[in-house]
Amino acid sequence: MKGLAGFFRDLGRNKAILLMVLPGALWFLIFSYIPMAGTILAFKEYRISRHGFLRSVLDSDWVGLSNFKFLFSTSDAWVITRNTLLYNIVFIVLGLIASVAMAIVLSEIVNKRLSKLYQTGMFLPYFLSWVIVGYFAFSFLSLDKGLLNQILSSIGIDPVNWYNNPAYWPFILVFISLWKGIGYNSVVYLASIMGIDRSLYEAAMIDGANKWQQIRNVTIPMLKPLMTILTLLAIGKIFYADFGLFYQVPRDSGTLYSVTNVIDTYVYRGLKTTGEFGMVTAAGLYQSFVGFTLVLLSNWVVRRFDKDNSLF
Amino acid sequence: MKKRSPKAMGAIALILTAALTVTACGKSGGAAEGTAEKPVNLIWYTIGAPQKDTDKVMAEVNKYTAEKIGATVTLKQIDFGDYNQKMGVMTASGEPMDILFTSSWAFDYVQNARKGAFLAIDDLLKSDGKGIVDTLDPAFLEGSKVDGHNYGIPANKELPAQTVYRFNKQNLDKLGLDYKNVKTLEDLEPILKANKEKNPGVLGLKMDNNFTPFVPYDYIIQGLPMAVALDGDNSKIVNVLDTPEMKQALTTMNKYYKAGYISPEAATTTSTGDVEKTGKWLIDLATTQPLADNTWSASLGYPIESTPAGPSIIYNWSVMGSMQAISANSEYPEKAMQFLNLLNTDAKLRNMVDSGIEGTHYKMTGDNRMENLPESKNYDMPTFSLGNVMLTYLNPGDPDNKWDEFKKFNDEGKNAPTLGFNFDTSKVANEIAALQNVKAEVWAPLMTGTVDPAGYLPRANEKLKAAGLDKIIAEAQAQLDAWKASKK
């Protein structure tokens, strides 16, 4: 009983901070923890019972792991896993480099008004839906009316049928993904740079450090904790592909599947007509399980080298 | 923490039991319900964009139905693009509903019947649905049986499906050519060639990425390559991409594509609506019904003429083109059936649901004729989806014998070899999911002629085989053989 009293004393002492945590905690409880019970659907063949949802879940037959089979049993399994992983690794690495670089450049702009203008300009694509981005891309890449092909033909090069040529798409997708996401991430880093104690730079300047040396020896080391945390979080999502990017932007063109088919689009195409909830749940569970394992693993690696920067 | 956990477990168990009892007890109700004084309310989900005046119209409908059968309805509409997904989630999560729209192309009837979304209505049809049984062409109820049971009521409308080539007359006339001798895809070539030369900017063969040239095969599942020949040996299920007819069609399509008769972006075009608006096209493929040329010309705003591309066949999917089912969790299945019975037999109710309130949304111009009033824009329903189409009043411009034409069309249709057979895919669900992916990859490029079948087709077939096509065909064949044996 003593433990309980201590618990309430703790509550009273920290009530302001706990109150701040409450909305977020509730959100996680309702949208993340309670739905976790639904993962049992991954092991069932879901059939509707006339007595409501709970009875449907309970009455459906157990089928073991057979809902997972469609993710592994085909020739596409290798392609979708490779595409999902490679694209996400590239996005994580390039995204990190590009947004940190952008943040540093933005922080060095003396004119505050211009700096804000650039920030806003870079941030804007983040708010666009993938459907709109898809049409943006189409206005550039359309075979007969696209801007790129008109430029190409005006300088005497044959127009390219972009949506039928897988070779270009890894580059197009990486470019569009960076273009859309970089603004958001660089603002996060920019905020962190703004928080760096100015006296560190003054001390560096007195020691005779030039701009480049200041960045290398002050800014980047100060950003390292944030970089580690954001990267670790990104690794947790490495098995989730951005559906809109891989489905809307290539206009679902069949000839591009070898470079655009990822786990999420595969699941969507395979199940949109049958709508087997068990198989959909299985795919989601598989993605989270791999993500979870990878976060634990990379966190463990980070902790081996630098205990302070690890997540937990 | 360890000390408290049994208590927490107890609480969770309590909540679960409470939830179960609540859901289990949901059905007990008063005894005197379902009369004109105390009507029961039915929840009805159907397809189409929600309309502004729905509540107003339903208030009128409810006065009528309360009087007739002691039931009122709450009509909820979900737009075409969302219907499949939203209804899938709602039925799976046990959302209360009594009547719902289902079909072969949106919220798949066969699969959802097997998943348990609908109530089997064999007995209800006998007790409360006599009118339906008497009105419908028997082929409708026979062709929509799933594993021997009826789960939905098909709308009485055109029964067979026939593919036609449609010609945009204003562009065809400029060429001085006739379409009357066109019988096959290859016959189109001289017309397309002339169009390319004489009508610059006019698209020869209009299509989107769902296009499939007509071949005389009956698909086991719409959009997947397992099929049975319409003529000849129709007991064997084959891969349609392996058939000589399809190979020839794909070669022709590729020839047309290379010649510039087809949009270079056909394989990624999701809608040809904008081309239809400009009228800058010559030929496309469509599924016809009686008087279709008139309907098309009226809705497009320029004259359309058509000629058959294949025979008129009653397929499973054409029988199941528009159905209303009773939900498995319906609280008042008898009332739901009585309502559907009335909807399919009572012209007053049928037209009210379809066109709204007389004097507000439409006016009568004859015994069996109506004309829309300007207000009808606030209540514009998809007529085909709401039960017996042959009860609806004629529009201006419809000939008096419209429904006779439909009956004639229905009588002339030939039964497809697999009419009444529904493939149960539950044993090959993994293979189907994989096959859907390969199909999405190879289908549109092949069908639109974007790729040369000489090199691409063997690779496509290899991928289909790797996805498990042979296993699916073997399973379907076994089921088909068993079904055929049971019919003898």
Side-chain angles (χ1 to χ4, degrees):
Chain A
M1 263 355 239
K2 206 172 176 189
L4 204 61
F7 175 69
F8 279 116
R9 209 169 40 239
D10 265 4
L11 270 188
R13 210 179 289 148
N14 298 319
K15 58 174 177 280
I17 292 175
L18 284 172
L19 216 59
M20 279 192 259
V21 172
L22 190 67
L26 276 181
W27 191 92
F28 271 112
L29 183 73
I30 294 169
F31 293 107
S32 293
Y33 282 89
I34 293 176
M36 268 185 211
T39 46
I40 67 162
L41 278 186
F43 307 99
K44 288 195 158 205
E45 184 180 12
Y46 188 72
R47 287 295 170 262
I48 300 161
S49 150
R50 56 170 307 166
H51 304 296
F53 176 66
L54 273 177
R55 280 290 290 280
S56 309
V57 174
L58 295 177
D59 291 352
S60 295
D61 292 334
W62 291 99
V63 291
L65 292 174
S66 78
N67 281 335
F68 291 86
K69 267 192 202 147
F70 81 109
L71 288 167
F72 306 104
S73 60
T74 71
S75 53
D76 284 333
W78 154 244
V79 173
I80 57 173
T81 311
R82 179 200 65 187
N83 285 349
T84 313
L85 275 178
L86 281 187
Y87 275 117
N88 274 328
I89 290 171
V90 172
F91 293 160
I92 290 172
V93 173
L94 285 186
L96 178 70
I97 297 172
S99 29
V100 169
M102 272 305 161
I104 292 173
V105 170
L106 281 175
S107 72
E108 297 294 338
I109 295 175
V110 186
N111 185 336
K112 281 294 151 227
R113 189 169 291 218
L114 266 184
S115 162
K116 282 272 175 291
L117 185 76
Y118 294 142
Q119 266 182 54
T120 316
M122 280 168 52
F123 214 141
L124 214 56
Y126 180 77
F127 294 106
L128 296 178
S129 101
W130 278 118
V131 179
I132 296 171
V133 174
Y135 277 98
F136 269 1
F138 183 57
S139 68
F140 279 92
L141 303 175
S142 161
L143 180 67
D144 46 351
K145 298 177 195 80
L147 201 60
L148 273 184
N149 275 345
Q150 297 202 349
I151 294 173
L152 285 183
S153 50
S154 73
I155 55 173
I157 301 174
D158 277 342
V160 177
N161 197 344
W162 300 98
Y163 289 96
N164 268 332
N165 246 317
Y168 304 108
W169 280 87
F171 303 101
I172 297 174
L173 290 175
V174 169
F175 174 78
I176 291 179
S177 166
L178 285 181
W179 170 75
K180 195 167 184 289
I182 204 170
Y184 178 83
N185 287 316
S186 60
V187 165
V188 175
Y189 288 112
L190 186 61
S192 177
I193 293 174
M194 291 305 167
I196 299 174
D197 192 346
R198 299 317 295 174
S199 61
L200 290 174
Y201 291 100
E202 281 157 25
M205 271 188 271
I206 290 167
D207 285 344
N210 61 22
K211 261 274 112 77
W212 176 238
Q213 284 166 326
Q214 286 175 34
I215 290 170
R216 241 185 45 193
N217 297 314
V218 180
T219 314
I220 291 183
M222 293 301 282
L223 282 181
K224 223 165 89 189
L226 185 66
M227 282 155 64
T228 327
I229 288 173
L230 288 183
T231 307
L232 279 178
L233 290 177
I235 288 173
K237 294 231 170 270
I238 203 158
F239 245 53
Y240 293 89
D242 200 332
F243 179 80
L245 173 66
F246 292 97
Y247 189 82
Q248 305 287 0
V249 178
R251 297 173 68 78
D252 193 20
S253 174
T255 37
L256 302 179
Y257 278 13
S258 55
V259 294
T260 61
N261 210 0
V262 287
I263 294 178
D264 296 78
T265 52
Y266 179 82
V267 171
Y268 175 76
R269 286 182 189 118
L271 302 179
K272 73 174 168 184
T273 37
T274 52
E276 283 289 348
F277 287 93
M279 287 158 81
V280 179
T281 316
L285 184 61
Y286 168 58
Q287 288 179 307
S288 352
F289 182 75
V290 176
F292 182 63
T293 320
L294 283 175
V295 168
L296 285 186
L297 195 74
S298 38
N299 190 63
W300 176 78
V301 173
V302 170
R303 219 167 41 184
R304 296 276 319 253
F305 291 102
D306 184 358
K307 216 166 176 188
D308 295 336
N309 283 338
S310 66
L311 272 179
F312 39 81
Chain B
M1 191 58 214
K2 226 174 196 153
K3 235 182 183 175
R4 277 192 300 275
S5 64
K7 237 186 230 170
M9 287 299 285
I12 292 171
L14 199 68
I15 292 169
L16 279 175
T17 349
L20 279 179
T21 26
V22 167
T23 43
C25 292
K27 259 195 66 107
S28 57
E33 279 186 329
T35 57
E37 291 74 40
K38 204 179 168 205
V40 300
N41 189 47
L42 303 170
I43 301 167
W44 180 15
Y45 280 93
T46 191
I47 201 164
Q51 298 297 311
K52 214 172 141 195
D53 281 357
T54 299
D55 291 345
K56 230 158 95 187
V57 176
M58 280 305 127
E60 287 296 311
V61 166
N62 287 341
K63 273 185 219 159
Y64 187 69
T65 53
E67 188 71 28
K68 281 250 171 188
I69 54 169
T72 58
V73 287
T74 304
L75 179 71
K76 300 185 182 183
Q77 277 189 289
I78 299 173
D79 214 343
F80 287 90
D82 298 332
Y83 194 81
N84 195 29
Q85 205 173 359
K86 284 199 175 158
M87 286 309 283
V89 175
M90 284 201 293
T91 50
S93 59
E95 179 85 14
M97 61 180 86
D98 298 287
I99 304 173
L100 66 164
F101 174 84
T102 171
S103 69
S104 52
W105 50 274
F107 195 55
D108 190 274
Y109 165 70
V110 176
Q111 287 184 17
N112 285 296
R114 289 214 172 98
K115 272 188 206 162
F118 314 132
L119 200 66
I121 52 172
D122 310 271
D123 296 335
L124 282 174
L125 268 174
K126 284 187 202 122
S127 58
D128 295 283
K130 282 212 84 67
I132 295 171
V133 180
D134 293 341
T135 326
L136 277 182
D137 191 319
F140 275 116
L141 287 173
E142 192 52 44
S144 63
K145 277 189 177 163
V146 178
D147 306 331
H149 298 286
N150 282 105
Y151 291 92
I153 296 156
N156 195 15
K157 55 185 199 73
E158 77 277 8
L159 195 52
Q162 183 172 29
T163 309
V164 292
Y165 296 114
R166 297 199 301 177
F167 295 86
N168 184 347
K169 195 158 183 305
Q170 50 188 6
N171 290 325
L172 186 68
D173 285 348
K174 284 182 207 151
L175 307 175
L177 286 171
D178 192 10
Y179 64 83
K180 298 274 191 251
N181 321 325
V182 172
K183 298 272 180 289
T184 65
L185 190 63
E186 286 73 27
D187 294 341
L188 297 172
E189 189 164 17
I191 305 179
L192 289 168
K193 189 156 185 275
N195 177 66
K196 178 88 185 162
E197 284 156 6
K198 291 185 201 157
N199 286 341
V202 173
L203 182 61
L205 204 49
K206 171 173 85 70
M207 65 186 70
D208 63 18
N209 57 358
N210 283 320
F211 176 87
T212 304
F214 176 80
V215 286
Y217 283 85
D218 177 13
Y219 295 91
I220 300 294
I221 297 176
Q222 274 294 295
L224 290 180
M226 301 81 73
V228 167
L230 287 178
D231 317 303
D233 178 14
N234 56 23
S235 63
K236 279 269 163 296
I237 298 176
V238 294
N239 170 11
V240 79
L241 293 179
D242 258 343
T243 62
E245 291 94 337
M246 186 56 103
K247 277 181 188 162
Q248 190 195 339
L250 295 182
T251 312
T252 309
M253 289 305 293
N254 185 237
K255 188 163 86 182
Y256 290 174
Y257 181 87
K258 281 186 189 144
Y261 306 154
I262 295 169
S263 158
E265 269 154 5
T268 53
T269 304
T270 47
S271 158
T272 57
D274 43 350
V275 184
E276 280 184 352
K277 266 187 203 116
T278 62
K280 292 196 169 217
W281 60 278
L282 183 67
I283 306 173
D284 74 352
L285 228 66
T287 308
T288 193
Q289 54 167 239
L291 312 165
D293 287 5
N294 296 351
T295 324
W296 287 325
S297 305
S299 72
L300 289 172
Y302 43 82
I304 298 289
E305 288 181 1
S306 63
T307 186
S312 169
I313 303 282
I314 303 173
Y315 299 99
N316 283 312
W317 58 266
S318 66
V319 172
M320 301 167 187
S322 161
M323 310 178 78
Q324 296 284 348
I326 296 176
S327 171
N329 66 354
S330 169
E331 286 187 42
Y332 312 105
E334 295 86 13
K335 285 287 166 204
M337 180 53 88
Q338 287 168 20
F339 175 77
L340 287 174
N341 192 50
L342 203 62
L343 186 71
N344 282 287
T345 51
D346 184 307
K348 184 169 176 200
L349 174 66
R350 178 64 177 88
N351 281 289
M352 206 158 23
V353 169
D354 188 49
S355 310
I357 304 162
E358 188 181 348
T360 309
H361 300 102
Y362 70 96
K363 64 170 192 228
M364 296 302 288
T365 55
D367 230 12
N368 190 23
R369 258 177 202 284
M370 57 161 261
E371 198 177 330
N372 277 330
L373 296 172
E375 277 296 294
S376 69
K377 68 173 192 298
N378 292 329
Y379 193 73
D380 186 9
M381 304 287 277
T383 302
F384 71 91
S385 67
L386 301 164
N388 193 347
V389 175
M390 298 192 197
L391 288 179
T392 54
Y393 300 138
L394 299 177
N395 289 306
D398 282 347
D400 285 328
N401 64 349
K402 182 172 176 183
W403 302 129
D404 296 332
E405 293 272 335
F406 270 73
K407 288 194 181 109
K408 204 175 112 209
F409 186 71
N410 287 353
D411 290 341
E412 282 170 358
K414 253 180 61 188
N415 286 359
T418 67
L419 182 65
F421 166 70
N422 292 299
F423 181 24
D424 181 356
T425 56
S426 55
K427 275 193 200 141
V428 286
N430 290 310
E431 286 76 13
I432 294 274
L435 195 71
Q436 292 277 12
N437 264 284
V438 179
K439 182 252 169 176
E441 178 174 352
V442 302
W443 203 259
L446 273 171
M447 297 300 156
T448 57
T450 311
V451 292
D452 186 350
Y456 197 85
L457 195 56
R459 266 188 292 147
N461 276 328
E462 223 166 82
K463 292 201 85 164
L464 289 167
K465 281 199 169 62
L469 179 61
D470 291 338
K471 190 176 166 196
I472 296 170
I473 289 183
E475 174 67 27
Q477 186 72 55
Q479 287 184 25
L480 183 69
D481 293 344
W483 174 77
K484 285 213 155 147
S486 76
K487 294 237 314 177
K488 269 171 196 162

